[in-house]
Amino acid sequence: MLNQTMPRTSTRSPATHRPRAAAQPGSRSAGLTRARSGPLGEARPANPADPGVSFRLLGPLEIVTATGPLPLRGMNQRAILTFLLLHTNQVVATSDLMQVLWPNGDAPTTARKVLQNTISALRGVLTRGAIPTHLASLVSQAPGYMLRMAPEILDLARFRILADQGRTALAAGQPESAARFLRAALGLWRGRAGQELAESGIDWTQLAVADNARTAALEDYCDAELRNGRYQEVIGRLEAATAAEPSRERSSHLLMLALYRAGHQAGALRAYERLRQQLSQDFGVQPSRELRNLHQSIIDQDPALLPSEEPDSPEIDFSSQSDPELDLLFALLSLVQRQQRPHVVTLAGGTGGGTGWLLSELTSRLRQDGQVTVWHVRTGPDGAALGDDLRAALRRATPHRPLVVVAENLHHVGGAVPACVGEVIRTAGRTPLLVVLTSRAEPESLWPGWNAAVPWSTTVMV
């Protein structure tokens, strides 16, 4: 895993200024709905640049654009959209969607027409909201429908990326980094997943899984903060978590440890007793051996329960201001490594200033990290060298060492670019490859047909 951190000294000068920009994730992001990524380069929360639209599922259902929320009318629209968001970039059968609207099997003879009208209404919402089709589109595909979506605009996808980055940092002994990732992940939640549906009695497994992932991320966050020595700060969160799920052992374990380290031995013992009684009542079992051992250690006031004076591992200096575009590049690199699949990101909108800084910062940090191969590709005046250099780079790639390939100023190159890049992406197979391109404009405007030729791509406007 690429979980190495960068040196403490930042390569970015405090006096460095560059224009802020918004990302426009490109099309062909199918399959990125479960992105588990570890921190790469500088381990800080990935904050993908704002593409101007956000689908929010972690709480009340919302589609928010730069001009405000889009109207969703009626429970049918909300139920179908929620189910499609839980299955983004997957074909959902018509029969499953009808089951969403009529869960008791009492569908009327007009059921198919009602569903078609609901789908049409949702398409109208996307159209009136001027949401680009490369960000989100609702398409018909046998045997049903598919909501194609760039993962960056769905809060559930961003939550999963951040939570997994935090979990990886925690496992690597980097609790400060882990706390930042997990705090950002938890900050995306505004209530229960699919809140309106959950409150109306709908109990889809996918909603329960999302809510459970939130609890697990909260436990990871509290674990990280306990390692950081912030015991008092997490006691309230853990007390609320154990009240909501009184038989959840890990929450009780962390609460007991936090209370004890904060000097509340009696409170820690009461927390154990509450858990013991709840497990006995609900399941007829006793707490796990680990919990029983912790309970005895608290009674004995075992010095081993107190944190070590020495940090687990060197931590990064986070004094520099976070840069969302750079964070997005590191998040995408984490994603290709975790999924063992290539991805293309185009930095569009200029050849100097922001683009130059991003490339310099990215490649500098990766080279210092030493865990990623960085390869600069020549394009040549007519693009003759592009294909050869891309194939040469790919020949040196391995499934075990991520490869970042950089090609600059592709607006000078002709129409061969989509074919060259698309060929390499398809040939790469399970190679963790991130291709970083720069151009003066979006790829589709320079090379019509780019989105069809190059799968798994993202555009960042700089």
Side-chain angles (χ1 to χ4, degrees), residues 116-452:
Q116 291 172 346
N117 289 341
T118 302
I119 294 292
S120 178
L122 288 174
R123 286 173 173 156
V125 171
L126 301 183
T127 301
R128 288 189 296 274
I131 297 177
T133 56
H134 67 267
L135 291 182
S137 61
L138 181 49
V139 299
S140 300
Q141 185 167 330
Y145 301 91
M146 177 168 63
L147 180 58
R148 289 178 178 162
M149 177 169 290
E152 297 88 348
I153 69 172
L154 177 61
D155 58 359
L156 178 58
R158 296 199 303 274
F159 163 77
R160 286 169 171 164
I161 291 173
L162 289 165
D164 283 330
Q165 287 175 319
R167 191 168 296 113
T168 302
L170 189 63
Q174 301 161 8
E176 285 288 356
S177 301
R180 284 179 170 83
F181 283 123
L182 292 159
R183 189 182 302 116
L186 293 168
L188 295 171
W189 287 79
R190 299 165 292 112
R192 295 178 63 186
Q195 185 165 303
E196 304 100 324
L197 301 182
E199 290 176 350
S200 69
I202 291 176
D203 57 352
W204 296 337
T205 301
Q206 296 88 345
L207 294 177
V209 168
D211 285 327
N212 188 67
R214 179 191 188 183
T215 303
L218 173 63
E219 291 171 336
D220 288 331
Y221 169 73
C222 293
D223 190 351
E225 290 293 57
L226 281 175
R227 300 188 198 190
N228 292 326
R230 293 189 275 270
Y231 323 125
Q232 294 284 1
E233 287 85 341
V234 300
I235 288 176
R237 285 177 175 261
L238 289 168
E239 286 179 336
T242 55
E245 298 186 60
S247 60
R248 193 170 177 108
E249 290 202 343
R250 190 182 180 205
S251 293
S252 293
H253 183 285
L254 292 167
L255 176 59
M256 291 166 61
L257 194 56
L259 287 168
Y260 181 76
R261 289 183 176 178
H264 306 301
Q265 181 186 21
L269 295 175
R270 286 195 297 270
Y272 175 83
E273 185 59 26
R274 287 195 299 271
L275 173 67
R276 188 192 66 78
Q277 292 179 3
Q278 192 70 43
L279 289 174
S280 177
Q281 174 183 319
D282 291 346
F283 309 107
V285 300
Q286 291 296 305
S288 66
R289 179 176 296 277
E290 183 182 9
L291 263 295
R292 297 199 301 272
N293 290 342
L294 175 61
H295 176 248
Q296 189 59 50
S297 295
I298 290 173
I299 293 174
D300 297 340
Q301 298 186 15
D302 187 346
L305 293 179
L306 298 178
S308 170
E309 295 295 328
E310 296 297 325
D312 291 334
S313 64
E315 287 292 324
I316 299 169
D317 181 4
F318 286 89
S319 58
S320 61
Q321 185 177 4
S322 178
D323 184 272
E325 292 92 341
L326 187 62
D327 284 338
L328 176 57
L329 293 177
F330 281 125
L332 289 172
L333 183 53
S334 299
L335 185 141
V336 301
Q337 187 219 359
R338 178 66 183 180
Q339 294 197 336
Q340 295 286 289
R341 190 178 68 184
H343 198 85
V344 179
V345 58
T346 304
L347 308 178
T351 57
T355 299
W357 181 88
L358 273 175
L359 283 180
S360 175
E361 193 77 353
L362 175 69
T363 57
S364 174
R365 295 187 186 190
L366 292 179
R367 287 194 174 104
Q368 292 179 52
D369 184 85
Q371 302 296 308
V372 178
T373 300
V374 180
W375 186 282
H376 285 268
V377 172
R378 301 169 300 147
T379 59
D382 57 355
L386 179 61
D388 290 340
D389 270 20
L390 284 173
R391 285 186 287 271
L394 188 57
R395 285 195 296 270
R396 288 161 175 78
T398 72
H400 311 293
R401 184 180 178 89
L403 171 66
V404 173
V405 174
V406 178
E408 300 184 61
N409 301 329
L410 288 189
H411 49 274
H412 293 311
V413 181
V417 173
C420 289
V421 176
E423 174 195 347
V424 168
I425 290 301
R426 290 183 173 87
T427 305
R430 295 187 60 80
T431 300
L433 167 67
L434 181 67
V435 179
V436 183
L437 314 175
T438 70
S439 66
R440 285 180 179 168
E442 296 181 60
E444 187 67 30
S445 65
L446 290 172
W447 310 289
W450 168 271
N451 291 336

Side-chain angles (χ1 to χ4, degrees), residues 49-88:
D50 184 9
V53 60
S54 176
F55 285 71
R56 300 177 180 176
L57 187 59
L58 306 182
L61 179 64
E62 292 181 336
I63 306 175
V64 181
T65 68
T67 58
L70 300 182
L72 292 169
R73 294 184 171 87
M75 190 57 73
N76 281 3
Q77 286 187 28
R78 292 180 175 275
I80 293 297
L81 179 57
T82 297
F83 199 78
L84 290 170
L85 286 172
L86 290 168
H87 299 84
T88 52

